[in-house]
Amino acid sequence: MIFNSATALGTVVSLGTAFVLGSMIGIERQLRQRNAGLRTLTLVAVGAAAFVHLGGRLLESEGEIRIIAYVVSGIGFLGAGVIMKEGAQIRGLNTAATLWSTAAVGAFAGAGLLVESAIVAAFVLGSNTLLRPLVNAINRRPISAGETEALYQVHVLCAPENVSVARDVLYEELERAHYPVRQIEILSDGDDIVELAAALVPTSAQPGDLDAIIEALCRHDGIASATWTVSTMV
């Protein structure tokens, strides 16, 4: 293929746009010390732009469409790598979504839609910055069972030799109070103490009922202590 300065300039413009816009998104993530920072997001934007641009050079619009489909699925695998599960909590979803969106910025740039690429980048930056105060304000509100699905758990501490007894007592006390149990699991298993947690089936519960259950559990000899917690559902 003969070198063409016009098409080469178009490649530089497309990749340069992806580089600048990806860097802008990456700087914001780097300042917040996220797993995917400046270099990662810049490379995602440039890589997506390069593949889409190459597809367009070889097969025009049909090639771009094919490559975009592969970019979307490929970035999905990359995003899955930054998602981590810690107990009942999942971290990294926002980072994965930012990777996915940054690939869209690059895909627009690679297809030569430079203005549209900048618009997408602006929305991605807005989502990660302008919505942050609103998210923080919502997260500071107390969990209300009427507004969100909540996970209620009843925890008991017991000696290792009393695990079977504590499990039976925990199940019986919750059933007696008409709170069916989804599952009972061991959260920590030490040499001196074991923590059991019973996850309740209902997404709403009365604090007074749970306090009464805790008092009943603490009266059993095989249980050292008991408490209950509530958290948002994953």
Side-chain angles (χ1 to χ4, degrees), residues 13-29 37-38 41-46 49 98 101-110 113-125:
V13 172
S14 293
L15 298 186
T17 301
F19 179 88
V20 172
L21 296 177
S23 298
M24 291 172 61
I25 298 172
I27 288 172
E28 187 274 332
R29 296 283 85 191
L38 174 58
L41 291 170
T42 302
L43 287 171
V44 166
V46 172
T98 302
S101 301
T102 304
V105 173
F108 269 103
L113 304 173
L114 306 185
V115 175
E116 289 82 351
S117 179
I119 292 173
V120 175
F123 275 99
V124 173
L125 282 169

Side-chain angles (χ1 to χ4, degrees), residues 20 27-28 92 152 162 167-168 175-176 181 188 216 219 226:
V20 172
I27 288 172
E28 187 274 332
Y152 289 86
N162 294 328
R167 187 189 301 271
D168 293 339
E175 285 291 321
R176 184 178 293 113
V181 178
S188 62
R219 288 196 292 267

